[in-house]
């Protein structure tokens, strides 16, 4: 059900690009060499920093830097290795028809139209009814940037210990 909702969100471009770029590993480059040693590892520079594709400079660069323009979706070759961003791999996986609401409905019993409606309602609340809170004294993010507001997206899930205590429950909780 959750991964089908992700399918709907991706299909409808309902995700927070800026958050994914600034605060997650979604733009990191992953070595894409199926059946070879190193496949699936984050590509790193000589200092072991994760690499991203900087759109402005059109080159791979240290993804821990604040003054870069990482591509969320990139596929190419870096240092002789084929790479894709984490986000591209995620989208390729979960946009597959096996995660469609129709397929999920067969497994979980929730009608496909309801799965799609739930996902799009969640996106509406997150993006159209977000909450902005002014912070006059400012706050500093991981990169040293000062912000004078923060955006709250009134959508959340709290599992406590329940589902995570079961076999593969963490993955379900993550989804």
């Amino acid at each position: 059900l959750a991964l089908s909702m992700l399918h709907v969100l991706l299909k409808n471009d309902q995700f927070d690009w800026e958050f994914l770029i600034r605060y997650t590993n979604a733009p990191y480059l992953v070595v894409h060499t199926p059946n070879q040693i190193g496949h699936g590892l984050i590509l790193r520079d000589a200092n072991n920093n994760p690499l991203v594709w900087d759109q402005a400079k059109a080159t791979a660069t240290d993804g821990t830097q604040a003054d870069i323009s990482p591509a969320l979706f990139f596929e190419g070759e870096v240092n002789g290795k084929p790479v894709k961003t984490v986000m591209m791999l995620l989208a390729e996986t979960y946009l597959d028809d096996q995660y469609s609401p129709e397929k999920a409905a067969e497994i979980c019993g929730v009608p496909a139209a309801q799965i799609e409606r739930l996902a799009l309602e969640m996106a509406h609340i997150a993006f159209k009814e977000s909450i902005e809170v002014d912070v006059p004294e400012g706050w500093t993010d991981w990169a040293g940037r000062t912000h004078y507001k923060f955006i709250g997206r009134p959508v959340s899930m709290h599992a406590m210990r329940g589902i995570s205590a079961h076999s593969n429950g963490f993955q379900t909780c993550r989804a």
Side-chain angles (χ1 to χ4, degrees), residues 70-150:
L72 201 49
F73 291 93
F74 175 79
E75 177 178 11
E77 194 170 292
V78 174
N79 301 333
K81 295 181 183 179
V83 295
K84 294 182 179 188
T85 61
V86 169
M87 187 65 183
M88 181 161 231
L89 292 168
L90 187 142
E92 287 175 353
T93 299
Y94 297 111
L95 282 171
D96 188 277
D97 283 341
Q98 70 176 319
Y99 297 101
S100 70
E102 293 74 24
K103 290 288 186 187
E106 295 172 8
I107 297 168
C108 71
V110 177
Q114 187 172 353
I115 294 171
E116 188 158 354
R117 181 181 56 78
L118 288 170
L120 295 175
E121 281 181 11
M122 185 175 72
H124 174 83
I125 296 297
F127 298 116
K128 303 296 185 201
E129 297 185 27
S130 58
I131 302 162
E132 289 190 13
V133 177
D134 290 327
V135 183
E137 65 278 1
W139 63 276
T140 306
D141 69 12
W142 68 271
R145 295 177 292 236
T146 302
H147 304 271
Y148 294 96
K149 68 176 179 177
F150 66 85

Side-chain angles (χ1 to χ4, degrees), residues 154-171:
V155 175
S156 67
M157 192 285 289
H158 180 64
M160 193 65 171
R161 176 159 158 68
I163 202 167
S164 297
H166 297 276
S167 176
N168 290 321
F170 180 76
Q171 297 302 336

Side-chain angles (χ1 to χ4, degrees), residues 11-122:
K11 195 172 181 179
N12 289 279
D13 193 21
Q14 294 295 304
F15 50 92
D16 188 338
W17 288 72
E18 186 176 336
F19 181 86
L20 291 171
I21 288 169
R22 285 186 177 205
Y23 301 113
T24 75
N25 70 353
Y28 287 8
L29 297 174
V30 178
V31 177
H32 190 68
T33 53
N35 303 316
Q36 293 181 25
I37 293 175
H39 173 68
L41 296 178
I42 301 290
L43 188 65
R44 296 179 177 275
D45 65 14
N47 295 320
N48 205 33
N49 296 311
L51 293 175
V52 298
W53 186 259
D54 188 317
Q55 298 174 95
K57 299 174 185 168
T59 190
T61 192
D62 174 0
T64 66
Q65 301 302 305
D67 60 344
I68 57 175
S69 300
L72 201 49
F73 291 93
F74 175 79
E75 177 178 11
E77 194 170 292
V78 174
N79 301 333
K81 295 181 183 179
V83 295
K84 294 182 179 188
T85 61
V86 169
M87 187 65 183
M88 181 161 231
L89 292 168
L90 187 142
E92 287 175 353
T93 299
Y94 297 111
L95 282 171
D96 188 277
D97 283 341
Q98 70 176 319
Y99 297 101
S100 70
E102 293 74 24
K103 290 288 186 187
E106 295 172 8
I107 297 168
C108 71
V110 177
Q114 187 172 353
I115 294 171
E116 188 158 354
R117 181 181 56 78
L118 288 170
L120 295 175
E121 281 181 11
M122 185 175 72

